[in-house]
Amino acid sequence: MGTPDELNVVASPSVSLLLHGLDTVECCYYLRAPTGEGFDFERLTIQREALRQGKSKDPLPITLGGMEFLLQRYGSSSGFPIVLKNADFEIECGEFNDPSFYVTYRSEALWREGAFALHQRFVEWATVLGFRAYRLESLSRVDFTFDYHLPEIDFDEDNFITVSVKDSKYRSNQKAQGFYFGQSDAMLRVYNKVAEILEKSLKVWFFELWGRDTDVWRIEWQVRKDMLRRFGIRSYADLTDQQGDLLRYLAQEHDSLRIKTEDSNRSRWPLHPLWIDLQEQIKRFNAQGVYRVVDPKAALSERAMRIGISMYGNLKQLAA
């Protein structure tokens, strides 16, 4: 079952919120181990190569720090040579990578234990092995979800007002099953979660959490690093303290669901009852009133990039 802050919340009479929480969390960890501690990356690399060159396509069961994993036959697409998986974690790591660990927390574990508890488990596991942090962890992706019981869908893609320029719609048997907006730092998905489970993810354990197996739609924001940084969210402590600021922005300024009227100005359309309830639920989250955090390092990097682009253009003109 989910943690207390992720379970049922009283909703307005017109809509019924069943569950809210985090469905995906990805985080970078900056860890080093003194000589003789940690684990043997060279041995793991040799084992991985033996798997890759062998005929079997099955991963290798191993135990590290008292935790069981499956060592994969391949490195990650992002350049980590070692990939370890179990029911709760996917860990990408490398002796010479910076960050040295990139961890994806799996959906079922997040709903069972909560993101902060899983973070603590990973840190404790790494500490047992002898790793020590030389820099605070850095969140790369967080998916915020709100699951509603919606017997009838009285909206379509045109009811949404969003700052995103990309959108798409998914249909099945001539019925809308999902609406998707954005492609980069903040993506909104509103979709039939029951249909998605039965057709794709097979996460049928959600039925027990919801107490039902029909008519559940999910509102989900997938938020990546740049948007997290805008609201000062880098670590798990930041996420706990400031997620309300981010969610308020997403549900009030970035995206909204409206009731269509004859008014040509869509921004004057009234909010849909579903979105009114969503905004009320978000008011319960911790917040510090942050609207934008100015990151001097990020600003310097942006300035350097723009100077570089300008210099490159000038050099091309000179060459021509």
Side-chain angles (χ1 to χ4, degrees), residues 19 97 109 136 138 157 176 180-181 193 239 285:
L19 196 67
N97 292 75
L136 197 63
S138 176
E157 64 274 19
Y180 309 93
F181 305 90
K193 185 61 179 176
L239 180 64
F285 285 74

Side-chain angles (χ1 to χ4, degrees), residues 176-236:
Q177 298 288 352
F179 309 98
Y180 309 93
F181 305 90
Q183 284 188 322
S184 55
D185 297 336
M187 298 174 58
L188 170 65
R189 306 184 184 101
V190 180
Y191 61 99
N192 186 328
K193 185 61 179 176
V194 174
E196 188 272 340
I197 288 172
L198 297 178
E199 295 174 9
K200 185 178 178 181
S201 69
L202 303 179
K203 298 177 182 178
V204 294
W205 41 268
F206 268 116
F207 299 160
E208 182 179 353
L209 293 180
W210 295 330
R212 61 180 309 108
D213 59 4
T214 58
D215 302 324
V216 178
W217 278 63
R218 169 165 289 185
I219 300 170
E220 175 178 86
W221 278 286
Q222 175 185 299
V223 184
R224 293 193 177 274
K225 182 171 64 175
D226 287 348
M227 182 63 72
L228 292 169
R229 299 300 177 271
R230 169 176 173 169
F231 290 87
I233 298 175
R234 292 173 173 78
S235 68
Y236 280 89

